[in-house]
Amino acid sequence: MSEVGVRPHFRRVALIGIGLIGSSLARVIRRDGLADHIAVSARTQHTLDIATRLGLADSTSLDARKVVEGADLVVLSVPLGAYGSIASVIGSGVKPGAIVTDVGSVKECVIADVGPHLPEGVHLVPGHPVAGTEHSGPEAGFAELFAGRYCILTPPPGTDPTAIETVTALWRQAGMIVETMSAQHHDRVLAITSHLPHLIAYTIVGTATDLEEQLKSEVIRYSAGGFRDFTRIAASDPVMWRDVFLNNRDAVLEMLGRFTEDLAALQRAIRWGEGDGLQEKFTRTREIRRGILEVKQA
Amino acid sequence: MSEVGVRPHFRRVALIGIGLIGSSLARVIRRDGLADHIAVSARTQHTLDIATRLGLADSTSLDARKVVEGADLVVLSVPLGAYGSIASVIGSGVKPGAIVTDVGSVKECVIADVGPHLPEGVHLVPGHPVAGTEHSGPEAGFAELFAGRYCILTPPPGTDPTAIETVTALWRQAGMIVETMSAQHHDRVLAITSHLPHLIAYTIVGTATDLEEQLKSEVIRYSAGGFRDFTRIAASDPVMWRDVFLNNRDAVLEMLGRFTEDLAALQRAIRWGEGDGLQEKFTRTREIRRGILEVKQA
């Protein structure tokens, strides 16, 4: 964290996907002049038009392969389920020496889905900026989204150190604290800090949605009691999150197993009126909050 | 909501308990000059000293019975588990014509625990201002806590309409939107909007607390991904919440049953890779968020 920041510079950055994260990164690149040219690809012309209107793209194409041509940095910011097919389209078009990175919330699958499609001499440095909001699309982005947050890089063993340094410098320039770990470890940590909380939020909001109509309107009205925090999380992008769960299945199922065991124990304590046990549990959880406030992530 | 506000006035308000909610109400009473005298009782002299220092009490006593003598309004702001014993102490000391209200998160138990102790001519108007933070104690309160939030009153059938109007006027003065419903209905609605979310947040934060030490420090570090919203909820007062679960057992267990069924269905969808089902579920939950934003509770 104390290293002197080196401002990276790219001749041509290819952004595949320009949603909340992609467009926020584009704003950082523009703000700090990190690239001579930003080439953007997206799934629809509508999105490309918005990116152009917002001044985030110097050139655009629906054809991702065209966009990566000549790029020295390629950033994938699309739902994880699209990685394999995009990699097969762009793979052989990426020039030797270029860096391919991404912003996905699961990392083992990136190495498996993207790696095999890249030619010799192209550097794959998977990354995960742990930042976001419940909003989606290029208009939801903002350059300050990353400030003060962590970015986790998971380069496979043997990755070119210079490529790792370049991606590190990019995210540091965005204001992030950059850490490196194995993809497997990342996926386990994020399963509990992010994936399981989202799954639970989606579930409880879904449970409320299924209540009889009158009760439902009251759920909305009296949501200030705790529920509204869950609805914010459960308003996150459905396709992105579908792909997170499908691509981090084992770690999510493991953490979910621990959670449901613990929930069953609390349920039993409530049924049997075990007040001391409940109070003890509820007191311990205050500690973790204190830890988070100390590292200033709240 | 469109009625003209009538500013209530009390000669002597007795506040039993002066934590987050009690002290916030005391601040409203002070700010707007709603009482000639505020008498405060609490469990410890230390708390009473703080209340005095903050200018929230004209007189204090560890003896709740002394505090209610001559009061025309008595407000219980203590954990639900203390209601019965406090009611038995103060009950016969409350003067005829006085109003007894409370701020507890469960309401059927108030009628059962407090009602029998009150003499003829004393009006019991249970209330629940649906507002709060994760902080506790008299120093955590602030007069604006209630502004724009809902307050639910659950007077038993046959309650004096003037007494209900007086309590309504008090909470309107604090900036709340006041609604009236049966205690049973209240407890069911709050079980899903508040009690279950708290139970789940306590559980997942507890699950994380039990992880091996190294993983735990990373959970704290990368909490921005969703987890930190849960830690805020799970930092709420342990004794208050213990009593909520013990006193709203049936409704909480019912909602918990629905939730665990829904969670099991999602778990199965993840295990079997049913992407369409996941996406459909995650899309529906966005609707509820929209509803909440429309009624401006977010």
Side-chain angles (χ1 to χ4, degrees), chain B residues 1 5 15 17-18 39 52 68 77 90 119 135 140 151 178 190 193 209 223 238 248 287:
Chain B
M1 277 191 257
L15 300 180
I18 189 85
T52 302
V68 303
S77 315
I90 66 171
H135 305 294
C151 182
V178 183
L190 271 289
T193 60
T209 308
S223 65
N248 198 22
E287 295 301 316

Side-chain angles (χ1 to χ4, degrees), chain B residues 207-227:
Chain B
T207 304
T209 308
D210 291 338
L211 292 171
E212 54 269 49
E213 225 23 73
Q214 196 224 335
L215 203 50
K216 191 158 84 182
S217 76
E218 291 176 333
V219 164
I220 289 174
R221 189 177 293 186
Y222 306 117
S223 65
F227 187 71

Side-chain angles (χ1 to χ4, degrees), chain B residues 53-131:
Chain B
R53 179 166 53 73
L54 293 171
L56 303 177
D58 296 303
S59 66
T60 63
S61 176
L62 289 169
D63 182 353
R65 191 178 168 96
K66 274 195 189 140
V67 159
V68 303
E69 267 167 26
D72 37 3
L73 177 71
V74 177
V75 184
L76 297 177
S77 315
V78 296
L80 290 161
Y83 276 42
S85 60
I86 287 176
S88 74
V89 168
I90 66 171
S92 61
V94 181
K95 73 172 181 186
I99 296 169
V100 175
T101 189
D102 79 308
V103 303
S105 301
V106 187
K107 302 264 59 88
E108 274 203 288
C109 62
V110 178
I111 298 169
D113 292 352
V114 177
H117 295 286
L118 300 179
E120 193 74 22
V122 170
H123 310 294
L124 176 61
V125 184
H128 178 199
V130 185

